[in-house]
Structures are given as C-alpha cells and as structure tokens.
Amino acid sequence: MKRIEHLLGRVAGLFAVVGGGALLVLAGVTGIAVFYRYILRNPIFGIEDVTTMALTVLVAASIAWAAVNKGHVSVNIITSVFGRSVTRITDVVARLVSFAMLGFASYALFVKGSCGMPCGAMTSNLGIIHTPFYYVLAAAMAFYAAFVLSHLIIGVQHWHGADPNEVTD
C-alpha cells in the first residue's frame, strides 16, 4: 500500500503541475483582458471562454492535489463523542459512500464528455469543445476515488490499531 500511496502522490504532483500551468494561463489571460478592456477600450471577443476552460483545468487539478495534501474540509464530531470503536465503522461507511459518489461522478463526466459537439457541449463564443475538459475533471474525480479506496483498504488493514489516515483534531 505504501507504493500505491507513493504513486498516487506522484500523480497528484502531475495534477499540480498542470494546475499551475492553468493558473499561469488564467492570470495571463485575465491581465491581457483587463488591459484590452480598460486601457485600449477594446474587449477581446471570447476571453470568457478561455478563462472558463482554464478555470476548469485548475479546479480539476485542485481536487486531486487537495485529496493527497488533506486540503478538503472534514468535520470529525463522532470521535469526540463515541471514540475509535465507532469511527472504525463510520470511516468504512463514509469511505465507501465517498468512493461510490466519486466513481459515479467520474463515470458521468466521461459519458457527458464523450458526447461532445453533438450534445452542444462547447463554449458559446469561440466554440471550444468541452470534451477534453470533461475528461480532465473525470480523471481528477477518478483519481480521488482511487485515493479514497486506498484509504479504505489501509483503514481496514489497521482495524485494531490507529488508522494513519483518520482525521485528527
């Protein structure tokens, strides 16, 4: 399992690099758009489309990176009330539900993305096809599902001890 966690960390690093690139594109496009709109008084046609697509890549990368770096919000009330004996069970249930939801979201994004132009999945001004962006979001959700599944397996392996991935206060 250590190798799998290491591999997932490396993949999250790749998502972070792609997200960093998207952030640079987003910052550059925004700066150029502001310059053209307010200094030259000539807004760039379709700039919203480029911004939206860059933001989609940034969100996908953030999902994957935050999963590995514990950036997602979690509230752990059960531990303070009932203790580890109950959270063993609730952790399994929560991780199974999370895995199912993320898997379903990933599947739905792949299906929706595969439709592409026939379904009208393109930006309104420039006609940028959404398909690759749906796939990037689907990959991020699939990555997060795999990450949750690895935590589920590790949690079951540490059933009688402390779960190394359990949220601490």
Side-chain angles (χ1 to χ4, degrees):
M1 287 310 297
K2 287 286 185 193
R3 279 190 278 167
I4 291 173
E5 277 194 311
H6 179 71
L7 176 66
L8 291 172
R10 306 270 269 163
V11 172
L14 291 174
F15 270 106
V17 168
V18 170
L23 185 60
L24 289 174
V25 167
L26 189 60
V29 165
T30 302
I32 291 168
V34 167
F35 177 76
Y36 269 78
R37 178 177 293 277
Y38 296 109
I39 305 298
L40 301 179
R41 301 262 185 229
N42 188 16
I44 300 172
F45 176 75
I47 204 73
E48 298 87 10
D49 292 356
V50 175
T51 302
T52 301
M53 296 298 102
L55 196 56
T56 302
V57 173
L58 182 60
V59 166
S62 299
I63 290 168
W65 184 85
V68 171
N69 293 287
K70 298 180 180 167
H72 295 289
V73 176
S74 174
V75 179
N76 196 2
I77 298 171
I78 297 172
T79 304
S80 60
V81 176
F82 295 107
R84 177 74 178 122
S85 61
V86 173
T87 58
R88 285 186 184 104
I89 297 164
T90 59
D91 284 352
V92 169
V93 171
R95 288 172 180 162
L96 280 173
V97 169
S98 296
F99 175 74
M101 287 176 24
L102 290 164
F104 179 71
S106 179
Y107 171 76
L109 285 163
F110 272 115
V111 169
K112 180 70 173 174
S114 65
C115 185
M117 194 150 62
C119 293
M122 62 183 169
T123 60
S124 57
N125 293 323
L126 298 178
I128 300 170
I129 303 298
H130 289 175
T131 300
F133 301 96
Y134 273 111
Y135 289 163
V136 168
L137 280 169
M141 292 293 183
F143 171 82
Y144 197 5
F147 188 74
V148 167
L149 181 62
S150 74
H151 279 201
L152 173 65
I153 293 167
I154 291 168
V156 169
Q157 287 175 343
H158 291 89
W159 188 264
H160 297 290
D163 184 347
N165 296 311
E166 189 173 84
V167 177
T168 57
D169 295 330

